[in-house]
Amino acid sequence: MRKLKIQTTSDAQALVAAFESGSLLRPGSGASSVVDLSAAVFDWAGVKSRYLNEKSARIETQFADASHLVFFVADGLGMCFINRTTPSSILRERLVMELRTVFPSTTPAVMTSLATAAWPNSHGVVGWDMYLDEIDAVSEIIMFHRRDDGMPLDRLGVSERQAYPLPSLGGAIEGELYSVAPKHLVGTAFSNYWTGRNAHCVGYESLSEGVDHVLSIAGSAGSRSVTCLYADVVDAAAHRFGVDAPETREALRSVEVAVERLAAGLPTHARVVLTADHGLLDGPTHEIAPADPIVRRLRHEPWGDARQMHFAVLPESAASFEAEFRDRFGNIAFLLTVDEVEELELLGPGNIRPASRKRLGTHLAIARGADAFEYAAGSESPAPIGIHSGLTPDEMLVPLVVV
């Protein structure tokens, strides 16, 4: 970590203390990460990446002898769920190691890191809701539309390359690349970007059907080929019902069954490499409405995710904004400037690239624990129960399972 240039009103030192105590986890920090895993998978598939290192080399030894990989990303399946399984669960028995995900611990940022083997400070996808200066508005970047009205970004003049500045490495894989995902995701802008547009894409209605597709593909796939299997059942259940709800336990069991079926049915030359983008933690949500006084101190509406919210503060209002935010929310969130985010390397090692920095605003609020934020602009959707995007161990630790 860099030596911090902290001012007396800064929360950066308190965040560092939370890292040192272990109550929050700093991305990277010497631990093996999902970026290391991505670099290992792409290296196995013949694609070199910037972040290939000793940690990724050690990970690659776990599947170096395979000729076909099933890269299974189970959305939301953090270590918080692995630790809830029985000792005889295949997810525990074949657990190779814990990995740290990237910050923010949210699907767009992590999935882009998996596609690029790069950190968010480099690839520029820094949240679910993200400000784009090309349209001077907030987008739901993975949905590829403007947040306030759902207008597709391409109809607003934003190309896929502008939305996702760092190219996916999927298109450079030497062997065949297959993508098996829920039908509603097949053919979307982000799905096309993630696979590099060279994949054979198959949609499924149920995870069981998805496993059927994977088994069929693996039976005839060529050498150094990859099948990407994505499942969102755990994430969806935990958002709606909570981490410990029966519905979420049922979703967790469906992932276990999927891995058991793959283990039993795949050819001997194939390996399953399973990980997750994040875990989840139940917590209360605090609403910031458009008429809120702190919004008047901003250039435009805030954006981000539940446990990390970005603010573009008017220069003349910086001191008053910081004082008011800390007075109201200082007990549940840290408030950092973008320079402090860079000094702490929260988005990855090194400097924040310009394409990423312009999407960050001037200040970032990061939850101290389970509390979350929501910018409510007329939304009638209930707040989720299970939440992610923060720095707690429940959100930041994900498994590496190899079968």
Side-chain angles (χ1 to χ4, degrees):
M1 189 188 303
R2 304 177 185 186
K3 185 176 180 180
L4 299 180
K5 303 172 183 177
I6 298 173
Q7 304 196 5
T8 56
T9 56
S10 172
D11 291 340
Q13 196 63 62
L15 178 55
V16 171
F19 291 149
E20 292 173 346
S21 73
S23 62
L24 299 180
L25 297 181
R26 188 167 76 92
S29 189
S32 295
S33 72
V34 295
V35 176
D36 299 322
L37 171 59
S38 175
V41 170
F42 280 115
D43 184 63
W44 176 91
V47 184
K48 301 298 180 183
S49 66
R50 172 185 173 189
Y51 289 102
L52 191 66
N53 55 31
E54 291 182 1
K55 289 178 290 185
S56 51
R58 286 196 299 271
I59 290 172
E60 191 175 346
T61 62
Q62 298 294 325
F63 47 83
D65 62 339
S67 61
H68 180 72
L69 285 190
V70 177
F71 188 40
F72 189 169
V73 181
D75 197 321
L77 188 73
M79 285 301 303
C80 59
F81 289 111
I82 304 299
N83 294 334
R84 285 171 166 83
T85 62
T86 65
S88 61
S89 168
I90 193 169
L91 298 178
R92 280 209 195 191
E93 288 184 342
R94 297 302 185 93
L95 177 68
V96 172
M97 66 176 73
E98 295 181 354
L99 302 174
R100 289 193 189 185
T101 193
V102 303
F103 177 76
S105 52
T106 190
T107 302
V110 186
M111 293 299 287
T112 306
S113 284
L114 290 175
T116 60
W119 295 84
N121 65 350
S122 179
H123 64 58
V125 178
V126 293
W128 183 276
D129 291 341
M130 203 167 69
Y131 174 76
L132 298 180
D133 64 350
E134 293 90 343
I135 57 174
D136 191 27
V138 176
S139 70
E140 291 183 340
I141 194 66
I142 202 170
M143 306 300 290
F144 202 67
H145 63 216
R146 188 163 55 191
R147 180 170 70 178
D148 63 358
D149 61 2
M151 179 69 73
L153 293 181
D154 54 357
R155 292 178 60 183
L156 296 169
V158 178
S159 68
E160 181 183 295
R161 181 61 185 270
Q162 288 173 295
Y164 317 118
L166 196 64
S168 168
L169 298 179
I173 287 177
E174 293 178 358
E176 298 166 303
L177 176 62
Y178 302 87
S179 174
V180 179
K183 279 187 176 179
H184 69 276
L185 298 178
V186 175
T188 61
F190 188 79
S191 178
N192 290 339
Y193 158 76
W194 200 83
T195 58
R197 292 188 177 274
N198 289 336
H200 308 280
C201 298
V202 180
Y204 65 78
E205 295 286 357
S206 68
L207 181 53
S208 178
E209 181 189 349
V211 172
D212 290 339
H213 289 309
V214 172
L215 293 174
S216 176
I217 290 167
S220 59
S223 180
R224 296 290 162 174
S225 56
V226 180
T227 298
C228 297
L229 173 62
Y230 171 80
D232 59 1
V233 289
V234 172
D235 182 72
H239 277 311
R240 183 176 178 184
F241 301 107
V243 168
D244 287 312
E247 294 87 349
T248 307
R249 291 197 296 271
E250 182 179 348
L252 173 59
R253 179 56 187 156
S254 73
V255 174
E256 285 183 299
V257 170
V259 177
E260 289 167 353
R261 288 188 58 208
L262 290 169
L266 285 171
T268 56
H269 66 268
R271 296 286 182 277
V272 179
V273 177
L274 178 144
T275 193
D277 48 355
H278 56 75
L280 296 100
L281 175 67
D282 294 353
T285 297
H286 305 267
E287 182 178 298
I288 296 178
D292 192 292
I294 66 172
V295 177
R296 294 200 294 268
R297 305 191 189 281
L298 308 177
R299 289 193 181 98
H300 39 70
E301 63 193 33
W303 67 96
D305 285 86
R307 292 198 174 103
Q308 57 99 27
M309 183 168 281
H310 299 263
F311 304 94
V313 181
L314 294 165
E316 66 273 17
S317 299
S320 54
F321 169 82
E322 291 175 4
E324 185 170 352
F325 184 91
R326 290 191 173 105
D327 181 61
R328 291 173 56 188
F329 302 114
N331 63 322
I332 62 171
F334 304 99
L335 184 67
L336 278 69
T337 66
V338 170
D339 286 342
E340 289 170 332
V341 170
E342 184 172 60
E343 289 174 9
L344 286 167
E345 298 187 329
L346 296 183
L347 299 179
N351 294 329
I352 299 173
R353 292 180 58 182
S356 299
R357 178 176 280 271
K358 66 182 182 180
R359 295 174 166 187
L360 297 176
T362 61
H363 293 71
L364 177 61
I366 301 172
R368 292 176 181 264
D371 291 83
F373 293 98
E374 179 184 28
Y375 177 71
S379 173
E380 297 181 359
S381 301
I385 298 173
I387 301 170
H388 57 87
S389 73
L391 291 165
T392 67
D394 281 348
E395 298 163 280
M396 289 293 296
L397 293 177
V398 298
L400 172 59
V401 174
V402 179
V403 178

